[in-house]
Amino acid sequence: MARSNDEVAALLQEYADLISITGGDAFKARVYEKAARSVGGHHADVATLDLKGLQEIPNVGKSIAQKVREYLDSGSVAAVEELRAKIPDGVRRLTAIPTLGPKKAMVVYEELGVSSVDELAAAIRDERLRDLKGFGPRTEENILHGIELLRSSGGRVRIDAAMELAEDIVGALSAVTGCERCAYAGSLRRMRETIGDIDILAAAQDSAPLMKAFTGLPYVTEVIGQGGTKTSVRTAKGLNVDLRVVPPDAWGAALQYFTGSKAHNIRTREIAVHQKLKLSEYGLFDAGSGEKIVSGTEEEVYARLGLPWIPPPLREDRGEIEAGLRDELPELVTEADLRGDLHTHTDLTDGLAPLEEMAEAAAARGYAYYAITDHAPDLAMQRMTDERMLAQRERVHELDGTYPTKGRRGGLRLLHGTELNIGPEGEVDWPDDFLAGFDLCVASVHSHFRQSREQLTRRLVRACENPYVNVIGHPTTRLIGRRPGIDADLDAVFAACARTGTALEINAHPDRLDLRDEDILRARRHGVRFAVNSDAHAVPHLANMRYGIGTAQRGWLTADDVINTWPERRLRSFLRKGR
Ligand code: DGT
Ligand code: CA
Ligand code: CA
Ligand code: ZN
């Protein structure tokens, strides 16, 4: 296993930290830090190297090489253990605060017995810090700011916030002279529902102009780390961004590495090792000779490992390696496959735009059909009545087919629908004869989230059994980071959907992304169909579809699994539910 480079790099970095914390030689600490980076990025597995081979790694001298050998042979290093014993874990926790150096961390620990970030915040509140030598009101302010930064950076952000920022940065850096390629990687490229930090990759012969442009971006508030190949910044919204610049011929290997996920990369590296190869962010190398084999494109890297190119949303080690080896990867649904949107609102209820504007925007997106699904009367604040709904239906019929749709023959087909409320017993707003007048019904849970698991499950299953309910809207009702999903037996619900011909929604709003990827994977095994919907309440929300599609891709869905990619006739037949 070629995990040794990472392990050794982490050990050397820790040693460097320990040296500074204990007030050791700053120069020595920097030497170890540099060595850590070199080892982490070295193409050959350090476990296979002797003392001489180790010393050929840049920044690794004799004494460092000896420590590395000691670690590889015995699993520990005496010098590191010695320093470890001197340092309480608490001090190391304190140095995670960006504005608190190791020396000051040691002082507050020794003088005040403070050993956690919370204790430090409390000590500042009690004004216990300002009496220490070298500390003053200014220091307190700085540390408090650092604690705030630390706490806010612990949180993950919504994918749309990260996406907007990343696209802006990629645009700005692509315009820099000498930039040959630029893209975002990491969890954003994999379309995870939330993003820890943004990883930007660029290819250029000379990294300096890119690094300079990057740190000069207007929303960069702090440069956390700066080097020749990697720079990290914090932005005004508290989001961190890493920029890595690689030589153009290493683009493919670097993109593959920094797209991750870590779990996926571990698998690809294992495959490389079995073939006597070594895979790193610098390329795919012959493990024996160290000769570079490929690194220019991701396709080449995967191909040399015996794999087809794997779409980033699949790269989570959830079976994509096995499927790839058998050449059985799914042909994932894409945004271009969508023919319509089946859950949208207008200003008749809580939407912002009138029907006409929403329909016009939908036609401009090139949709073939578009459903208006305003809220039903049981959501009392929406003040819906039979009359209002029927008046809207007339207007929908008038406008049907009148909006020329971009890139398609014929006008936009408008479907008149509604978003029903699934009541506590699984009942919905209107009797069957009224429901029969709609082209489609979405039904969602909007109340009584805390019923028992049995009640919630029965509620959803009953909704599926309603012959007029076509789509279960935002099935778990979760709000990312704010409200957990309801506690229902989802497998029972998925089975009911498959049995009754009811689709499950993948709500594309970045607050929801409901169903989520893992539930989609499970639902798919039951043979359920899905509808990827924007749930738009305003024109700009129509564009959230990309996040719904990203989530569908993470759930391995093909176009055939998604009813709103189907031609209108096939869709209408599905909506009849065998009636
Ligand atoms: P995030 O930022 O928490 O939303 O998730 P990621 O996946 O963007 O993770 P991040 O930013 O820590 O690293 C970006 C990619 O770099 C990650 O997906 C895979 C690669 N990577 C980072 N650290 C390691 C590592 O220790 N080993 C391996 N094999 N890959 C790593
Ligand atoms: Ca990341
Ligand atoms: Ca990162
Ligand atoms: Zn809705």
Side-chain angles (χ1 to χ4, degrees), residues 42-45 276 278 284-293:
H42 194 59
H43 58 83
D45 186 348
K276 306 244 180 310
K278 155 98 187 160
L284 189 58
F285 299 87
D286 184 298
S289 66
E291 189 190 334
K292 190 196 280 194
I293 297 169

Side-chain angles (χ1 to χ4, degrees), residues 197-199 242 244:
D197 73 356
I198 297 177
D199 301 279
D242 291 340
R244 294 177 180 88

